């Protein structure tokens, strides 16, 4: 199985080919066109010497070009690693070394901002530049011959997610092709989204939350995703809502709180959104209540992590409350454990362990931490519930 082909192969295109996959700053890209871009990106990577299993770093803004390069790496059998665009040069160097990346695709604006690093990568033959600069990624795309998708095994690595590094150096979390299959489950089964719906996420695509909600999950259900290349600010985001009238809006509590500062006229556009979703931190009860008053809609909570990539728990539409994290999705197992390794008694707090169909293979270059947190198909979240 190749996860890129599962999302954009003949069966998927027969259902959604004419629909729009992405809108981005006036550009509209259909599923059919996006599939062609992904195929070209995969072929370009192969022509550049990328082999199955090689890691490919992507330092680009959220655009269809980024999405095609990311999924193109997966189609080629390589491993896509989207990078946080706000990291320091030291952090980029750490990830380069930790991942042993074969190639980095860097947008020109970031290449110019890190001239020493990009010059080194160019000398090593590990760089292509998207935009103005050499070697040119777009030239590689233009001359790439057609090539079939790599026939990947379900457990073969497809992408890594790097943790934020808040508890130390960032960890590379290894996900395989089979982990992309559950993407879109929560949108479809809990939020009632499907073909023709429009989604907008304020988080960036290098985060697991946005990777599912605004990219892979939206492709899986035949929806249209609104991509915002710039770092999210409340007024531009409100403008996107007014212009595109999304069906679902995915954000975090702090951003919802900032949006509430907008004038009532700008907030009025949000009243047409059917589903509001929040993740990343606990939703303060006052924010939830103020949002209800301003838009007439609840904010539904989801809980997940980079190690599962996809959502683990979600709040059903009729049960929105700041006190509840949500219910496990179908196929997701949960249990609370004491520090001694026993099941926590009913009503008592415990550490949450999850079993998830998209659970990562483990941490790159960290066998001891992998052994400590991944046990018999379960993952220790270290979160108390």
């Amino acid at each position: 199985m190749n996860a890129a082909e599962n999302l954009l192969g003949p069966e998927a295109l027969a259902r959604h080919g004419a629909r729009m996959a992405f809108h981005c700053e006036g550009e509209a890209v259909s599923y059919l066109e996006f599939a062609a871009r992904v195929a070209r990106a995969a072929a370009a990577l192969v022509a550049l010497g990328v082999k199955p299993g090689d890691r490919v770093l992507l330092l680009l803004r959220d655009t269809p070009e980024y999405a095609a390069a990311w999924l193109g790496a997966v189609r080629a059998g390589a491993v896509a690693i989207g990078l946080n665009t706000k990291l320091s040069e030291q952090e980029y160097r750490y990830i380069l070394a930790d991942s042993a990346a074969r190639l980095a695709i860097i947008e020109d604006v970031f290449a110019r901002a890190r001239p020493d690093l990009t010059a080194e990568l160019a000398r090593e033959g590990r760089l292509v530049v998207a935009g103005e600069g050499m070697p040119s990624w777009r030239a590689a795309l233009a001359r790439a011959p057609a090539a079939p998708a790599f026939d990947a095994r379900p457990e073969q690595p497809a992408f890594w997610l790097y943790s934020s590094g808040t508890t130390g150096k960032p960890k590379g979390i290894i996900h395989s092709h089979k982990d992309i299959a559950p993407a879109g489950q929560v949108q479809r089964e809990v939020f009632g989204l499907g073909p023709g719906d429009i989604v907008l996420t304020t988080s960036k695509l290098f985060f697991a939350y946005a990777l599912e909600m605004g990219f892979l999950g939206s492709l899986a259900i035949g929806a249209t995703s609104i991509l915002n290349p710039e770092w999210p600010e409340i007024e531009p985001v409100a403008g996107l809502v007014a212009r595109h009238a999304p069906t679902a809006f995915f954000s975090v509590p702090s951003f919802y709180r900032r949006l509430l500062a907008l004038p009532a006229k700008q907030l009025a556009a949000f009243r047409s959104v059917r589903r509001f979703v929040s993740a990343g931190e606990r939703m303060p009860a006052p924010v939830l209540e103020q949002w209800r008053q301003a838009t007439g809609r609840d904010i539904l909570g989801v809980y997940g992590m980079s190690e599962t990539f996809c959502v683990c728990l979600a709040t059903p539409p009729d049960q929105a409350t700041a006190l509840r994290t949500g219910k496990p999705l179908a196929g997701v197992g949960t249990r609370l454990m004491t520090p001694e390794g026993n099941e926590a008694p009913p009503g008592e707090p415990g550490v949450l362990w999850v079993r998830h169909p998209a659970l990562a293979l483990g941490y790159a270059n960290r066998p001891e931490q992998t052994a400590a947190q991944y046990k018999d198909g379960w993952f220790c979240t270290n979160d108390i519930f």
Side-chain angles (χ1 to χ4, degrees):
M1 61 169 290
N2 186 296
E5 282 296 278
N6 286 353
L7 290 173
L8 295 169
E11 291 185 13
L13 294 180
R15 297 192 302 271
H16 310 306
R19 299 185 189 279
M20 291 300 113
F22 299 105
H23 284 292
C24 181
E25 294 192 324
E27 180 185 17
V29 182
S30 71
Y31 274 75
L32 196 61
E33 169 59 20
F34 183 64
R37 293 190 188 189
V38 169
R40 284 197 299 274
L45 289 170
V46 172
L48 288 165
V50 172
K51 296 179 174 56
D54 284 347
R55 269 74 69 193
V56 177
L57 304 183
L58 299 106
L59 182 57
L60 301 95
R61 296 174 303 156
D62 289 3
T63 61
E65 182 173 49
Y66 169 88
W70 194 101
L71 211 49
V74 174
R75 190 177 194 271
V79 178
I81 305 177
L83 296 179
N84 186 331
T85 58
K86 296 280 190 177
L87 298 183
S88 67
E89 182 162 333
Q90 181 180 1
E91 288 169 314
Y92 289 133
R93 289 183 181 279
Y94 171 80
I95 292 174
L96 274 166
D98 187 65
S99 65
R102 168 64 185 82
L103 188 73
I105 306 173
I106 303 181
E107 192 170 350
D108 51 10
V109 62
F110 303 119
R112 290 191 294 271
R114 299 281 186 265
D116 294 341
L117 179 59
T118 53
E120 289 176 27
L121 289 170
R123 285 195 299 270
E124 296 166 0
R126 295 199 291 161
L127 172 73
V128 285
V129 178
E132 296 182 3
M134 297 296 290
S136 171
W137 170 238
R138 293 172 187 171
L141 290 172
R143 63 175 178 262
F150 178 76
D151 187 14
R153 303 183 309 278
E155 295 290 338
Q156 182 163 337
F159 66 101
W160 291 13
L161 293 170
Y162 266 91
S163 67
S164 62
T166 53
T167 57
K169 290 189 178 298
K171 301 186 294 288
I173 301 161
I174 305 172
H175 281 280
S176 61
H177 281 256
K178 60 92 177 168
D179 296 348
I180 296 178
Q185 179 186 3
V186 67
Q187 291 103 311
R188 183 173 52 249
E189 296 180 4
V190 180
F191 304 142
L193 303 175
D197 280 317
I198 301 172
V199 302
L200 172 60
T201 174
T202 62
S203 298
K204 309 311 290 180
L205 295 182
F206 53 77
F207 289 118
Y209 179 38
L211 184 63
E212 180 183 16
M213 301 304 177
F215 181 8
L216 302 179
S218 66
L219 290 178
I221 64 172
T224 300
S225 180
I226 309 304
L227 297 183
N228 178 18
E230 306 307 324
W231 207 259
E233 296 295 342
I234 57 172
E235 293 204 1
V237 167
L240 289 174
V241 171
R243 184 156 58 252
H244 294 286
T247 314
F249 182 84
F250 298 90
S251 193
V252 297
S254 58
F255 202 83
Y256 280 110
R257 184 172 59 248
R258 292 173 60 199
L259 285 169
L260 286 167
L262 288 170
K265 184 177 180 180
Q266 285 179 281
L267 269 177
F270 288 84
R271 299 187 71 88
S272 66
V273 178
R274 191 168 81 239
R275 293 282 183 254
F276 293 105
V277 181
S278 179
E281 56 188 291
R282 181 181 291 275
M283 172 62 70
V287 174
L288 181 61
E289 183 55 36
Q290 291 171 38
W291 193 260
R292 285 173 178 153
Q293 294 175 7
T295 67
R297 302 285 187 179
D298 286 320
I299 301 174
L300 307 179
V302 296
Y303 170 84
M305 62 217 73
S306 296
E307 286 83 355
T308 62
F309 156 56
C310 296
V311 164
C312 299
L313 313 175
T315 305
D318 60 344
Q319 297 181 26
T321 168
L323 299 178
R324 292 179 180 169
T325 307
K327 296 182 176 181
L329 299 188
V332 175
T334 59
R335 62 187 186 189
L336 297 184
M337 306 297 289
T338 66
E340 296 75 29
N342 301 314
E343 294 275 352
E348 296 295 322
V351 175
L352 178 67
W353 287 70
V354 297
R355 184 177 58 205
H356 197 291
L359 183 62
L361 301 175
Y363 298 117
N365 309 315
R366 295 175 183 240
E368 293 183 0
Q369 190 167 1
T370 297
Q373 288 188 257
Y374 294 80
K375 294 184 178 180
D376 301 322
W378 290 83
F379 174 72
C380 177
T381 68
N382 287 325
D383 289 335
I384 304 296
F385 277 72

